Amino acid sequence: ENRIQLSYFAVLVHVNYLDLLVSRLVKTILTVANVPMFNTFPCSKQLAFSASLLASYYGNIRPFNTEINLIFRNVFTNIGNAYNPDTGLFTAPVRGVYHFEVHICGYGSSSHPTSAVLVKNRQHIFMSYTHLPSGGQKASNGVSLLLEIGDVVYLRMWANSRIFDDHNRHTTFSGHLLFTM
C-alpha cells in the first residue's frame, strides 16, 4: 500500500511537470505563430496605419441605442497590415509602445452628441466627445499604449451619438509603433 501511494505521488509530480512543460510549449507556439505576420514588414520596426471612416459616400453614421464598432474603410496607409479594414480592428503583431489618434466630426444636434471610445481588449481607454446644439463640431484624442502580441485596439461609437464623414475625410483613426519592447 505504501508503494502504491509513493507511485501515485511520483505520477502526480510527473503530471504537474508535464503540465508546466505543455503550458510553456503552448505559449512559445503562440508567440512564434505571430512572428511571421511581423516578418512580412521590410523592416521589423515599421508599422503604421491611417484610415477615414467612409470609403465612397458621405453622411452620418446614425444614432443607435447601443455602442457599435466603427469600421474605417478608406485606408490611406497600412504598413504591416495590422489594421483590418473589414473589421475595424488593429491587432498588435509585436510587443511595443504604440500611439493612436482619433479625430471625429459631427453636426450639431440637441439630442445626439458626436462621440467615440477607443477600446483595448474590451477595456475603455478614452473618449472623444463633443455636443453642440448646432453647427459643425470636431473632437480629437490620442494615447500611447504598451501592447502585447495579439492585443486588439478599435473604436466604438457611443450609444445614441452620431458621426459624420465625407470626401474631405473629417473622421479618422490612425496608429503607429513607436518602439518595440
Side-chain angles (χ1 to χ4, degrees), residues 39-73:
N39 284 339
T40 62
F41 305 151
C43 171
S44 64
K45 293 184 181 175
Q46 295 179 347
L47 177 67
F49 78 95
S50 188
S52 65
L53 190 58
L54 301 179
S56 60
Y57 59 96
Y58 68 94
N60 285 304
I61 303 297
R62 64 186 180 140
F64 295 93
N65 61 1
T66 185
E67 290 183 23
I68 64 161
N69 287 0
L70 292 171
I71 300 173
F72 290 75
R73 299 204 184 272

Side-chain angles (χ1 to χ4, degrees), residues 27-103:
K27 185 175 181 178
T28 301
I29 289 169
L30 290 175
T31 301
V32 170
N34 284 312
V35 171
M37 180 177 149
F38 197 67
N39 284 339
T40 62
F41 305 151
C43 171
S44 64
K45 293 184 181 175
Q46 295 179 347
L47 177 67
F49 78 95
S50 188
S52 65
L53 190 58
L54 301 179
S56 60
Y57 59 96
Y58 68 94
N60 285 304
I61 303 297
R62 64 186 180 140
F64 295 93
N65 61 1
T66 185
E67 290 183 23
I68 64 161
N69 287 0
L70 292 171
I71 300 173
F72 290 75
R73 299 204 184 272
N74 186 48
V75 176
F76 302 117
T77 189
N78 195 6
I79 299 167
N81 296 315
Y83 176 74
N84 184 332
D86 295 324
T87 63
L89 304 179
F90 171 86
T91 305
V94 296
R95 184 175 194 266
V97 176
Y98 295 79
H99 184 76
F100 297 94
E101 290 186 14
V102 175
H103 304 280

